[in-house]
């Protein structure tokens, strides 16, 4: 992996802070971030959620479109109709009519086909307000999607930074091993001449084994980091190792930081707007709804047959009534319909009150979130300032430790210090050099977390060759 370590002094850091703050990344790192966005299952699910909300919005607006339905029905009728009317007696002949019950046995076939259309004309603004509520919910969900994208930016950059730390550790271990090898050769000669004891050689061997143990640990950490980056980005190991990027401090200015563009805050504002539109929608239910309708139909009764026995006095006679066809077609109907729910058992009143409570809850959540984000931004920026100052301290520690190592090597060769003191200086140099890179990585992470708190990390990112 190609790497470039750039360290700057405190003076340069605070001088550049007067310029526009930015987070520079290379094209390779930008590519890795984009791949992480494209691969993220969470982002994909959030995109699906946005599509669902868009379909919901369209579904609400589509209620303005005519609803057209077709009906086709066939039925076979077979029933008995019993009639019992008061008996009538003729005054002259004394004959009784309609005496007792009369039963009609009916059989017929019925066919009906119709086309119906209806559409709302006025709904008390419930449809447009409902659509706007869904649109605001969709917008809020889109802001939450940006939150996940910001987290992926942090994870990708920090993962590559950790690889740089491992690379630096390997380099330091290699340098220490070379120095210890020279010391081993020198001690072996001294032992053969009686100028040193085997204890010195064993101490050096022990230190070398510790370095070898660290090398094995680094290989394990590197493997895990590669697996993490592959999980995030789908980059191959070769692509990961060939990724070019610069390890340099990220510079921020306190005056340019604000939480007003924080994605979570914007999402809450959008959700509050959605609740306001839902309140308007519920209030619209107090108004009457007006709709238009039209229909055309064909209805036909055929093969109708009704059999009964009619009695007039002592005479009974079977009677059969037949109808070949009875058709009503075409049957056109066009009109308007007005519906007004004057009283619905306080259901609408309760829904309006619920919507008002939801808005009040959202106001409290926004206020609390704004205050917490303000405190978080102050904390993150404070961490960033501390981490920035630690870079200069780490550089000074590195210089001091390297000077101490040179002196320790010379003094040990002259017999002025023990092998333990010599190896301690070696170990301190290793830790100081590693701490220098670690401090820079911590500063970069603190800067990214600070910018993420503002919700503007994409505006801070700049691509370099």
């Amino acid at each position: 992996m190609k790497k470039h370590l750039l360290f700057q002094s405190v003076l340069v850091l605070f001088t550049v802070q007067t310029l526009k703050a930015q987070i520079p990344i290379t094209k390779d790192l930008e590519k890795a971030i984009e791949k992480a966005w494209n691969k993220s299952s969470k982002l994909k699910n959030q995109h699906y959620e946005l599509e669902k909300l868009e379909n919901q919005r369209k579904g609400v607006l589509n209620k303005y479109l005519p609803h057209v339905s077709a009906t086709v029905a066939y039925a076979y009728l077979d029933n008995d109709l019993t009639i019992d009317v008061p008996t009538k007696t003729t005054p002259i002949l004394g004959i009784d009519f309609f005496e007792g019950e009369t039963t009609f046995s009916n059989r017929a076939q019925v066919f009906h086909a119709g086309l119906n259309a209806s559409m709302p004309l006025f709904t008390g603004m419930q449809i447009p307000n409902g659509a706007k509520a869904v649109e605001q919910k969709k917008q809020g969900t889109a802001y939450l999607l940006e939150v996940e994208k910001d987290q992926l930016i942090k994870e990708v950059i920090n993962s590559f930074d950790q690889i740089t730390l491992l690379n630096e550790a390997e380099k330091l271990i290699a340098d220490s091993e070379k120095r210890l090898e020279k010391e081993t050769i020198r001690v072996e000669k001294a032992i053969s001449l009686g100028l040193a004891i085997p204890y010195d050689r064993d101490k050096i061997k022990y230190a070398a084994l510790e370095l070898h143990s660290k090398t094995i640990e680094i290989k394990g950490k590197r493997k895990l980091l590669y697996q993490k980056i592959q999980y995030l980005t789908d980059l191959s190991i070769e692509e990961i190792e060939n990724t070019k990027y610069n390890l340099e401090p990220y510079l921020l200015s306190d005056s340019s930081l604000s939480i007003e563009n924080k994605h979570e805050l914007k999402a809450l504002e959008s959700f509050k707007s959605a609740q306001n539109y839902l309140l308007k929608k519920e209030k619209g239910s107090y108004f009457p709804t007006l709709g238009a309708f039209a229909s055309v139909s064909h209805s036909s009764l055929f093969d109708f047959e009704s059999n009964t026995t009619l009695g007039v006095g002592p005479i009974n006679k079977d009677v059969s009534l037949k109808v070949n066809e009875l058709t009503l077609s075409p049957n056109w109907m066009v009109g308007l319909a007005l519906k007004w729910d004057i009283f619905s058992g306080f259901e609408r009143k309760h829904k309006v009150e619920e919507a008002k409570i939801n808005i009040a809850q959202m106001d409290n959540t926004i206020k609390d979130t704004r205050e917490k984000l303000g405190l978080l931004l102050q904390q993150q920026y404070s961490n960033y300032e501390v981490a920035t100052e630690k870079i200069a301290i780490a550089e000074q520690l590195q210089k001091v430790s390297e000077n101490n190592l040179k002196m320790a090597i010379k003094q040990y060769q002259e017999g002025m210090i023990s092998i333990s003191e010599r190896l301690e200086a070696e170990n301190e140099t290793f830790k100081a050099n590693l701490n220098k890179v670690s401090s820079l990585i911590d500063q970069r992470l603190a800067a990214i977390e600070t910018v993420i708190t503002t919700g503007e990390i994409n505006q801070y990112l700049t691509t370099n060759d």
Side-chain angles (χ1 to χ4, degrees), residues 222-237:
R222 183 185 298 277
K223 182 179 180 181
L224 290 176
L225 272 174
Y226 280 10
Q227 290 175 346
K228 179 182 178 181
I229 294 175
Q230 285 181 314
Y231 167 75
L232 290 173
T233 65
D234 267 347
L235 290 173
S236 66
I237 293 179

Side-chain angles (χ1 to χ4, degrees), residues 99-221:
E99 183 178 5
E101 295 179 346
T102 302
T103 300
F104 295 84
S105 296
N106 307 308
R107 292 182 179 84
Q109 298 184 69
V110 178
F111 175 79
H112 173 80
L115 187 65
N116 303 290
S118 62
M119 63 177 294
L121 299 178
F122 177 75
T123 62
M125 299 298 291
Q126 293 184 71
I127 292 178
N129 285 328
K132 290 177 181 178
V134 177
E135 175 63 28
Q136 288 299 314
K137 184 178 179 181
K138 175 188 172 185
Q139 187 173 342
T141 304
Y143 285 128
L144 294 180
L145 183 146
E146 294 298 323
V147 174
E148 179 63 19
K149 292 175 72 174
D150 289 354
Q151 292 300 318
L152 287 174
I153 292 174
K154 182 181 78 172
E155 287 192 48
V156 171
I157 293 177
N158 188 248
S159 295
F160 278 99
D161 284 357
Q162 293 298 322
I163 290 179
T164 302
L165 181 63
L166 296 181
N167 291 340
E168 184 66 16
E170 286 183 335
K171 178 182 176 182
L172 294 172
I173 289 174
D175 292 341
S176 292
E177 286 177 338
K178 290 179 182 178
R179 286 192 291 268
L180 291 180
E181 285 177 5
K182 292 180 180 180
E183 291 293 346
T184 301
I185 295 172
R186 195 189 71 81
V187 169
E188 289 286 355
K189 289 182 179 180
I191 291 174
S192 64
L193 297 173
L195 300 176
I197 59 176
Y199 175 77
D200 290 350
R201 179 186 58 199
D202 292 340
K203 289 288 290 186
I204 295 174
K205 184 178 181 180
Y206 182 84
L209 289 173
E210 283 189 327
L211 290 177
H212 182 65
S213 175
K214 290 178 181 178
T215 301
I216 295 174
E217 184 180 348
I218 287 172
K219 288 181 179 180
K221 290 182 178 180

Side-chain angles (χ1 to χ4, degrees), residues 416-453:
M416 299 175 62
I417 62 173
S418 66
I419 185 62
S420 297
E421 292 174 307
R422 161 67 182 86
L423 294 177
E424 183 180 354
E426 185 76 38
N427 187 46
E428 290 298 325
T429 302
F430 175 83
K431 291 192 295 184
N433 279 278
L434 201 61
N435 180 60
K436 180 181 176 181
V437 181
S438 180
S439 297
L440 181 54
I441 292 174
D442 290 343
Q443 189 267 358
R444 287 160 61 89
L445 181 60
I448 291 174
E449 290 178 339
T450 301
V451 175
I452 285 178
T453 307

Side-chain angles (χ1 to χ4, degrees), residues 79-85 100-106 307-308:
N79 56 69
D80 292 335
L81 175 64
T82 300
I83 300 177
D84 187 358
V85 299
E101 295 179 346
T102 302
T103 300
F104 295 84
S105 296
N106 307 308
N307 299 310
T308 187

